[in-house]
């Protein structure tokens, strides 16, 4: 099939499940060019969706049970050294606790100014 659009003409192959726009191959879901061809032929669009998107594939992926990990007392002891935490790094940024150095006599001027304002 050839589907005309404002952006150009796209070639759709329903048997190979491809479209020249590439979306159908990339995602596994028919693009709108392919959907137009499927509707024109009155086929069921569900047959053209990749099997990974079907409910059966989802159910099969989550069917096996995941066993919980035993508590720490049940872990197997090995002769390997225990892992250490990563080294502490001081990250760049604005310092929080550092204050500016005051000039000589700056504190005295402040105390005198507070006394005068009272």
């Amino acid at each position: 099939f050839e589907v005309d659009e404002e952006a150009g003409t796209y070639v759709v192959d329903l048997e190979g499940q491809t479209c020249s726009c590439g979306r159908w191959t990339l995602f596994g879901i028919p693009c709108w060019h392919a959907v137009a061809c499927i509707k024109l032929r009155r086929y069921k669009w569900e047959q053209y969706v990749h099997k990974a998107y079907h409910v059966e594939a989802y159910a099969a992926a989550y069917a096996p049970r995941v066993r919980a990990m035993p508590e720490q007392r049940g872990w197997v002891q090995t002769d390997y050294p225990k892992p250490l935490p990563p080294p502490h790094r001081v990250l760049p940024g604005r310092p929080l606790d550092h204050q500016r150095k005051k000039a000589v006599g700056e504190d005295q001027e402040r105390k005198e100014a507070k006394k005068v304002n009272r």
Side-chain angles (χ1 to χ4, degrees), residues 76-83:
V76 177
Q77 297 295 325
T78 63
D79 295 333
Y80 296 113
K82 294 188 177 189

Side-chain angles (χ1 to χ4, degrees), residues 4 9 19 24 26 29 48 63 67 71 92-93 95-98 106 109:
D4 291 328
T9 302
C19 180
W24 195 358
L26 183 65
I29 300 172
Y48 294 96
R67 294 180 42 198
E71 60 182 18
L96 300 175
D97 297 331
H98 302 293
E106 188 176 356
E109 292 174 8

Side-chain angles (χ1 to χ4, degrees), residues 44-64:
K44 293 185 178 182
W45 62 269
E46 293 92 354
Q47 297 173 350
Y48 294 96
V49 177
H50 193 273
K51 293 178 182 176
Y53 293 108
H54 290 225
V55 175
E56 294 83 19
Y58 181 84
Y62 291 99

